Amino acid sequence: MSQIPWLGPQDLFPNPLSEVDPDPNVPGLIAVSERIYPGQLVKAYRLGIFPWYSDKQPVLWWSPDPRMTLKPENFKCSESLRKNIRLFCRDAHSQIQVDIDFPQVIRACATSTRKDQDGTWITHEIMDAYTAIHEQGHAHSIAVIENGQLIGGLYCVALGGMVFGESMFSRKPNASKIALAALSAWCSRNHVSMIDCQQETAHLHSLGAAPIGRQSFLEQLQISLNQTNIEKPWNFDKHILTHWL
């Protein structure tokens, strides 16, 4: 059995496209590090690796098999959600804001309570690391605003023609779904083939996501990284939601 590598600031990640999991007893765990070092996060995403760990743990780096993904056109927009979208689009006091206040959105994701979940994996270190790559143009936030208040949203990472969904939150019913509907419509417009959802959950299944094998995901990732189809800077509003109407 190989040992899971402990990475220092200059160490390279194992490439999950060509190397097997180092410990079959912990499938998908690729590497461990003391912290998220500068530049390390973007390098990980380019290899299909992401951090997921709890506070007071070392940083655990994952590449799961299978991998949960959402093809933008497969987003399930139910009749009830369509009704919510119509009302949202007609309401002069409702907005979609993109990259207006990334730190506020990621803090909201970190502090929102979730059913059957105690605490959050979005530590202060995670917030700092993703805010840093947001400032570099690699991470984005979508905020759902009603009467000037943040009621839902999500943040994600984008590299080349690939989008990696990270976390969503809702303070009102369907607010996070509206954010994901906006992201899916934007990705469809920009010919993004899939949104990485990382890990399989019933909630993601209900929204149209499906698992694919890690090898297939990583092969598609390498193709997408070389594409430049996403418009920059990210700039859209709630009218993107009419894609689903």
Side-chain angles (χ1 to χ4, degrees):
M1 182 189 304
S2 301
Q3 186 175 8
I4 296 171
W6 187 282
L7 304 181
Q10 306 303 322
D11 292 330
L12 300 178
F13 285 100
N15 188 341
L17 189 60
S18 57
E19 301 179 47
V20 298
D21 289 351
D23 186 346
N25 293 315
V26 194
L29 181 59
I30 297 298
V32 180
S33 62
E34 183 178 359
R35 52 173 295 228
I36 301 176
Y37 299 106
Q40 193 177 37
L41 195 54
V42 171
K43 291 176 183 177
Y45 274 91
R46 289 188 177 279
L47 291 170
I49 300 169
F50 60 88
W52 184 48
Y53 63 105
S54 298
D55 204 9
K56 299 181 181 179
Q57 281 187 324
V59 182
L60 307 179
W61 298 93
W62 300 86
S63 180
D65 188 9
R67 188 82 168 222
M68 198 67 162
T69 64
L70 172 63
K71 293 182 179 180
E73 284 301 324
N74 287 350
F75 174 74
K76 289 184 180 178
C77 192
S78 66
E79 283 303 317
S80 61
L81 180 56
R82 266 195 197 91
K83 181 179 179 181
N84 284 153
I85 287 173
R86 286 191 187 97
L87 293 172
F88 186 84
C89 288
R90 290 171 185 163
D91 184 354
H93 301 289
S94 296
Q95 297 175 283
I96 292 289
Q97 294 181 348
V98 180
D99 289 343
I100 299 299
D101 193 340
F102 183 91
Q104 182 186 30
V105 172
I106 194 171
R107 281 196 306 270
C109 289
T111 56
S112 294
T113 56
R114 304 171 197 276
K115 184 180 178 181
D116 302 323
Q117 183 174 323
D118 181 19
T120 179
W121 63 274
I122 304 174
T123 64
H124 289 290
E125 181 177 33
I126 285 284
M127 288 189 277
D128 290 345
Y130 282 86
T131 299
I133 66 169
H134 163 70
E135 292 168 353
Q136 297 165 10
H138 301 312
H140 303 275
S141 63
I142 298 175
V144 181
I145 307 295
E146 186 178 88
N147 296 317
Q149 300 297 312
L150 179 64
I151 63 166
L154 60 81
Y155 72 99
C156 59
V157 173
L159 297 170
M162 184 70 193
V163 172
F164 308 82
E166 286 303 313
S167 185
M168 305 186 292
F169 78 98
S170 284
R171 292 173 178 164
K172 290 189 69 173
N174 286 326
S176 64
K177 292 181 182 179
I178 288 174
L180 183 57
L183 176 63
S184 297
W186 169 255
C187 287
S188 181
R189 176 197 284 182
N190 284 272
H191 308 291
V192 172
S193 61
M194 65 181 177
I195 301 169
D196 176 31
C197 300
Q198 298 179 348
Q199 300 184 72
E200 190 170 357
T201 68
H203 180 61
L204 288 170
H205 265 295
S206 73
L207 295 173
I212 63 173
R214 179 169 63 188
Q215 189 79 7
S216 295
F217 169 79
L218 294 173
E219 289 171 355
Q220 181 58 53
L221 169 62
Q222 295 311 307
I223 294 170
S224 297
L225 288 174
N226 292 320
Q227 297 172 341
T228 57
N229 41 286
I230 296 180
E231 299 172 20
K232 293 181 180 180
W234 282 34
N235 183 24
F236 57 94
D237 58 25
K238 67 180 181 181
H239 297 294
I240 195 80
L241 292 165
T242 59
H243 180 87
W244 305 110
L245 301 180

